[in-house]
Amino acid sequence: MTVSDRLTEFVQALRAKGIQAGPGETVDAAEALAVLGFDDRERTREGLAACLIRRDGQRAVFDSTFDLFFPLGVGVPEQARHEQVTLDELNDRLVAALAFDDEEQLLQLAGLAVDAFGQYGQGGSGTGGYSAHQTLDRVQPQTLLVRILAAMQAQAGFTERLDRDEVRRRIERFRELVRGEALRRVAELRGRERLARTAVPPTPDQLDFLQAGRAQVAEMRRMVQPLARKLATRLAARRRRAARGQIDLRRTLRRSLSTGGVPMTPVFRRHRPGRPEIVLLCDMSGSVASFANFTMLLVQALRDQFSKVRVFAFVDGMDEVTHLVTNGVADPAALGARILSEASIIRWDGHSDYGRSIDEFADRYADAIGPKTSVLILGDARNNNGDPRLAVLAQILRPARRAFWLNPERRDLWNTGDSAAHDYATVIEMHECRNARQLGALVSRLIPV
């Protein structure tokens, strides 16, 4: 395989993960690669990153993919071919390497560790490979902290607390090297393209709301303000276009008399579109809460684009939480916790009950929806086999200008188990909304101007 072929496959893998590198960026990367070569791998990494990355939050995806397509080596590490180590021997050498922050030695030890302790399923079944988790579970580098500190006592200039923080950083670096080495070895067995699809996490805007961990949720929250700025620009542009109105045929023909009946300059019926009102109904139960939380923060950041914003949260009871979302700057990390603690949204057993919540909204807040209101319902429609109260929902939404349901579950899971998604879809237009990219596209397309 030529270098250009490898680079093309690399860019295709990045595009599959949401990094929008086009032909221009690929040409720039090829020219950078021709200048940089492969003598200094980290310099090559930085050069390609400068050419191919255009947005914040994409570096982790780039680095993982780069390690797959431009690995440190091929096959079994040279040292592992000629050397067998016991766990005690490896730990002794690891203590010394971490104490002196010897990057080259750490890299060799990562290869030894994966080869010695990370293999699984090597009995000819065709399902074997190398596991970073298995390797680190055997080696347990975090347990070596005291020994590393003792080896560093001769080095002056650090307090013990700073020493501990530095050792933890070095241990984490070794763990990263082990993960990279295991990934490289598995890629050789199963193919880079296949592993790039399954082992490399997506960019933050493509993270699934329902599968994101705590760190990934925090990463998504950092996307709220940039996404809000982009959506505000799109909404403002749509509003400017809408302000022109439709062609006034009578006035256009009258003006055309001066040009012999040829309508050279069209005349538009100008109107001033009012900014829409937004009502959010947010399911705050279980993993769906992270999706609702993100959307509420996005609407808060976009509140200048709307004439009025009202937000309601529910689990098995409905309560208004507008004051928690739109007043001042909401704390992203604490918004969901504040809603659960300060709002009365859990009345019975804490399990989702869409029917009961819809009934309560109809009784207490039906006047929140009027002819200028756009309604967004956020939830997975899993009603624990309760009555969905479709007729009541239809009555609530009848005065609304527009109404949409954003469902964070995959479409093929709708109406499985206790989901009533297809039932609700007969009353309200339902859209799959699994990540921030889909959410941004839906908001910019569905919200009227």
Side-chain angles (χ1 to χ4, degrees), residues 8-19 61 65 69 193 196:
T8 302
E9 289 186 359
F10 174 56
V11 173
Q12 289 174 345
L14 292 178
R15 289 175 60 83
K17 289 298 179 180
I19 297 179
V61 174
T65 310
F69 284 84
E193 295 80 5

Side-chain angles (χ1 to χ4, degrees), residues 35 244 398:
V35 173
R244 295 185 65 186
R398 190 171 294 119

